[in-house]
Amino acid sequence: MKVPPGVSPSDFAKAISEFEDAVGKEWVFTSDEDVALYRDPYSPFLGEPDELVASAAVAPDGVDQVQKVVRTANQYKIPIYPVSTGKNLGYGGAAPVYSGSVVLDLKRMNRILEVNEENAYALVEPGVSYFDLYRYIQEKGLKLWVDVPDPGWGSPVGNALDRGGGYLMAHLRNHFDSHCGMEVVLASGEIIRTGMGAMPGSRTWQNYKSGFGPWVDGIFSQSNFGVVTKMGFWLLPEPDAYLSGTVYVPRHADLVPLVKILNYLENTRATNGMPDLGSPLLQIPMISEIAAWMSGDGPPPPDAELSGLLGNSEAGYSPELEAYALRKGVSYWSCKLSFYGPAKANEANWEFAKGKFSAISGARFVDNESYKLPLTPEEHEKVHKPQFGIPSLAMFSIGARSRTNPQPTNGHMWFSPIIPRTGEAIFEANRVFNQAAKEFGLPALAFSLPSCYWERAFIFIFAFPVTRDIETNKKNREAFKKLVERAAEHGWGEYRTAPAYQEAIMSTYSYNHHALLRFHQTLKDAVDPNGILSAGRYGIWPKHLRSQQA
Amino acid sequence: MRTRWLVAMSMFFAVSTPAAPDQAQVERGHTVYDKWCFPCHGTGPGKPGTDSLRQRGQNPAVLEERTDLNASMIRFYVRHGVLFMPTFRKTEISDADLDAIAAYLTRNNKK
């Protein structure tokens, strides 16, 4: 049996025994075979001595059991690493940041404690997946939608705490922003409830977010200050209808006014779904098209002339490429807008949007789907499901073997910088990352478009493949870290990352001699003095391990 | 790592044919399969596991329609993953549930 670093075998044996008393022998995993299930299958260290691995795992079935486990861990100074569903693939999976930690697997805590249709909220435990919550709502016949991320096997709690995103309206698709109220077990074993939940008998825990006094919920996301055991989420009452329309613009420079107008429309809520950028000319699918394109249902390959022009373009542009686009009538950029609401309001908002975009010379419009909700079974099979609050795994087609991808990957890790929401920033980021890829020996980067998950900023999401070749993975890791530094030099920071890069990225948030990180450390020392919870997560190391990391 | 993989793979073909599963076990397996496997390996669009197997030349590509799977193979892939398919922990799919999935997916094998 592997023993956590800094823990004596006898103390670990006593702790394991107490874990077994707390949760039942069946739910404490110490054999190599069982502990191996907690490896990150998408780890960039696969097969290397530096791979981050657990020593054991313990799976409580309720908050009282969590308290017992945490108290035992605190007594014996056992590092523990809570995970909810452990499916944060591309951002870490179930493996701990501090190798040798005991994974606190909360998957068995899978109770949907309340779903309130009238006020559109849910209260769930960490082991509840998006699939679980969706099925529950369907089985009960409730007219509610859940904002889901692309992989539906994640949990609302885990995804929100890692600050993931979805597809619906802006106030819901930021999953941390859409939560309302938490229950947290601290390292001492004490339970706190945040927001209105701090009041015994509160009747608005899932209705009013901030409660009274400092609003502390944020410190439990991307951190290691407590074990979140319950979380409330706002849901969307099923809208009357859905409508989408796409605007196409002809010239390279049109991206700048396209984004400017888009921002106006979204910030005034004239459009209320996630906007979706694409490029017919550069053959960049919109997010809602990726799964279909990867399955082979994309456009035909570019003709010989276009292939040559694309190969000779720089950061997605050359005068000749633009001339081709204008001559052939192939649009440079596209933007799909989604509207949820009363059918007539959707139509009016789309007409309003067309009017605004018509300021761009040559803009043309295509009316896409228009559905009266709920979807029919036939419509259900046609749509990009997360746009309708339906969990799915379709986006895993990115790595799967397909007509367009004969060599499947062993997983991926995401490089995800946040950039300003302007067309100019898109161009600049492409120039910078293209140049960086050349310098760092990466394959040439095709022009990329950012996603619009967040309403006031863009996010680029670049996939680094994980391979079975150690040398390739090493090279990719180094390149990843260099890209992080290069992005930071331009004022772009990552929003989230896998354990292998959390410290490197936190170090780029260095204003005033890393004052923010030092504040995190002050909090860490105060609320978890023995440093047992998720050591190293998001670059926050407990005091006794800080010197080892410096 | 690679050696361990190959040894485990070779064990697929070393197991004896199990006794025919009972109907309750098959039904339980169907339920567990729908929850855990169908979203990637089911029928219809947007099923990366099915698409991947189809692209490899597997026919039929949908696991439920195959008659050439065996329990060891199923257990191996669930517990070890393959390519972009991750491992599944015992808190997700228990050993008993995994046995039930195996019973379901081998229900039509020639005895």
Side-chain angles (χ1 to χ4, degrees):
Chain A
M1 183 167 64
K2 190 175 162 66
V3 176
V7 178
S8 72
S10 63
D11 275 358
F12 193 49
K14 287 180 207 162
I16 290 289
S17 176
E18 290 184 27
F19 291 158
E20 289 173 347
D21 289 343
V23 306
K25 202 174 173 71
E26 181 189 3
W27 298 109
V28 178
F29 302 104
T30 56
S31 73
D32 289 348
E33 182 187 357
D34 288 344
V35 174
L37 299 173
Y38 290 84
R39 293 172 66 184
D40 174 10
Y42 290 9
S43 169
F45 292 98
L46 272 181
E48 295 183 54
D50 289 341
E51 184 182 340
L52 304 171
V53 293
S55 56
V58 53
D61 187 31
V63 66
D64 56 331
Q65 293 185 7
V66 173
Q67 288 179 284
K68 287 177 185 170
V69 169
V70 168
R71 284 183 176 130
T72 294
N74 213 12
Q75 180 184 345
Y76 296 103
K77 298 185 174 58
I78 309 290
I80 58 175
Y81 189 80
V83 300
S84 47
T85 55
K87 284 283 179 282
N88 195 17
L89 302 177
Y91 290 120
V97 177
Y98 183 41
S99 211
S101 299
V102 174
V103 174
L104 182 62
D105 182 346
L106 303 176
K107 179 61 193 169
R108 294 176 66 218
M109 294 176 63
N110 58 1
R111 297 170 192 85
I112 296 166
L113 299 165
E114 183 184 3
V115 177
N116 184 301
E117 188 171 33
E118 186 178 352
N119 281 314
Y121 67 78
L123 179 67
V124 297
E125 292 186 331
V128 172
S129 72
Y130 286 99
F131 281 120
D132 295 334
L133 186 53
Y134 175 78
R135 283 191 199 104
Y136 177 95
I137 288 170
Q138 296 304 305
E139 285 166 11
K140 301 278 182 190
L142 305 175
K143 300 291 186 190
L144 292 171
W145 286 16
V146 185
D147 191 296
V148 301
D150 274 303
W153 54 22
S155 80
V157 172
N159 191 267
L161 292 178
D162 219 32
R163 300 208 286 260
Y167 282 87
L168 303 178
M169 297 167 180
H171 71 289
L172 297 174
R173 68 176 186 258
N174 181 323
H175 291 163
F176 188 77
D177 279 3
S178 73
H179 97 276
C180 190
M182 290 180 178
E183 178 184 88
V184 186
V185 175
L186 301 176
S188 63
E190 188 174 35
I191 298 175
I192 63 169
R193 288 185 173 180
T194 68
M196 302 307 283
M199 175 182 284
S202 165
R203 297 165 67 178
T204 54
W205 190 19
Q206 272 62 65
N207 304 101
Y208 183 76
K209 294 184 178 185
S210 55
F212 195 74
W215 188 16
V216 299
D217 293 40
I219 69 167
F220 296 108
S221 67
Q222 296 193 350
S223 71
N224 49 17
F225 301 138
V227 181
V228 177
T229 48
K230 292 182 182 65
M231 245 174 127
F233 291 95
W234 285 356
L235 308 176
L236 179 66
E238 184 171 75
D240 173 65
Y242 170 85
L243 180 147
S244 91
T246 303
V247 53
Y248 295 90
V249 293
R251 287 168 298 274
H252 180 260
D254 291 337
L255 186 61
V256 173
L258 182 77
V259 171
K260 198 172 287 186
I261 295 166
L262 168 65
N263 289 348
Y264 173 81
L265 294 170
E266 194 174 17
N267 292 337
T268 57
R269 300 295 187 255
T271 179
N272 58 11
M274 189 184 83
D276 203 355
L277 294 169
S279 172
L281 178 69
L282 305 179
Q283 298 219 324
I284 304 173
M286 296 184 282
I287 287 183
S288 55
E289 298 172 323
I290 288 176
W293 282 38
M294 294 303 292
S295 299
D297 294 329
D303 60 30
E305 182 184 4
L306 180 55
S307 289
L309 290 169
L310 289 171
N312 291 323
S313 64
E314 190 71 28
Y317 176 76
S318 72
E320 295 78 15
L321 182 61
E322 182 166 81
Y324 172 95
L326 293 169
R327 175 164 44 87
K328 296 273 190 175
V330 182
S331 300
Y332 228 113
W333 313 112
S334 62
C335 180
K336 180 178 167 185
L337 299 184
S338 289
F339 304 86
Y340 301 91
K344 286 186 178 175
N346 291 344
E347 289 164 14
N349 279 322
W350 176 220
E351 286 305 312
F352 179 77
K354 286 178 182 175
K356 289 291 179 186
F357 284 124
S358 293
I360 302 172
S361 175
R364 63 185 181 86
F365 305 94
V366 171
D367 299 344
N368 306 321
E369 313 95 312
S370 174
Y371 299 123
K372 177 77 175 169
L373 299 170
L375 297 171
T376 65
E378 294 73 27
E379 290 165 346
H380 188 280
E381 287 305 305
K382 282 196 307 189
V383 300
H384 182 58
K385 292 183 171 56
Q387 280 189 303
F388 294 84
I390 305 166
S392 157
L393 295 180
M395 195 54 89
F396 278 85
S397 61
I398 285 177
R401 184 188 293 107
S402 68
R403 273 183 278 172
T404 56
N405 183 32
Q407 296 298 326
T409 70
N410 289 279
H412 49 256
M413 48 191 177
W414 301 115
F415 170 63
S416 320
I418 301 283
I419 70 162
R421 224 182 206 249
T422 66
E424 292 92 337
I426 296 174
F427 292 141
E428 183 187 0
N430 270 281
R431 282 194 298 272
V432 169
F433 291 132
N434 201 25
Q435 177 62 31
K438 286 178 191 165
E439 288 177 34
F440 305 153
L442 293 170
L445 280 182
F447 190 91
S448 298
L449 284 169
S451 302
C452 304
Y453 293 109
W454 319 126
E455 57 184 315
R456 302 293 172 120
F458 280 134
I459 177 171
F460 274 105
I461 303 179
F462 297 104
F464 272 65
V466 172
T467 74
R468 294 266 167 199
D469 179 62
I470 286 174
E471 288 307 313
T472 301
N473 288 342
K474 277 184 182 170
K475 184 179 159 191
N476 283 344
R477 291 200 305 267
E478 288 308 308
F480 193 113
K481 288 185 179 176
K482 288 179 183 173
L483 273 178
V484 168
E485 291 170 8
R486 183 63 54 87
E489 288 165 12
H490 290 80
W492 307 321
E494 278 60 49
Y495 92 115
R496 176 185 184 189
T497 198
Y501 311 105
Q502 287 175 357
E503 194 164 355
I505 290 175
M506 192 65 227
S507 73
T508 66
Y509 286 77
S510 59
Y511 171 75
N512 192 18
H513 308 290
H514 303 273
L516 181 61
L517 176 59
R518 286 185 280 113
F519 181 68
H520 293 164
Q521 291 167 343
T522 301
L523 287 175
K524 181 68 177 169
D525 295 344
V527 300
D528 180 14
N530 289 327
I532 60 163
L533 295 178
S534 301
R537 184 162 170 75
Y538 278 84
I540 308 167
W541 290 96
K543 186 179 284 182
H544 72 282
L545 295 175
R546 259 173 234 151
S547 59
Q548 295 177 27
Q549 307 303 323
Chain B
M1 169 69 80
R2 186 169 174 76
T3 304
R4 193 173 75 173
W5 179 278
L6 290 174
V7 168
M9 288 287 282
S10 68
M11 290 174 66
F12 288 168
F13 307 102
V15 293
S16 57
T17 306
D22 65 49
Q23 191 55 30
Q25 179 80 331
V26 169
E27 285 172 12
R28 173 180 175 178
H30 192 176
T31 303
V32 180
Y33 176 91
D34 277 352
K35 176 172 181 176
W36 284 104
C37 314
F38 183 87
C40 210
H41 284 288
T43 52
K47 303 295 188 302
T50 299
D51 293 345
S52 184
L53 288 169
R54 183 177 294 120
Q55 187 62 26
R56 196 187 69 180
Q58 185 68 51
N59 184 20
V62 176
L63 297 186
E64 287 169 286
E65 297 171 5
R66 289 175 64 171
T67 56
D68 63 334
L69 300 172
N70 67 54
S72 296
M73 180 192 281
I74 294 162
R75 289 190 194 103
F76 179 84
Y77 284 122
V78 169
R79 295 295 187 223
H80 292 80
V82 59
L83 297 173
F84 64 97
M85 172 181 162
T87 49
F88 290 84
R89 311 185 307 277
K90 292 185 176 178
T91 52
E92 299 174 289
I93 301 174
S94 67
D95 285 338
D97 280 346
L98 188 47
D99 288 344
I101 292 174
Y104 176 63
L105 291 180
T106 58
R107 70 198 182 288
N108 293 326
N109 289 9
K110 286 182 183 169
K111 302 296 188 290

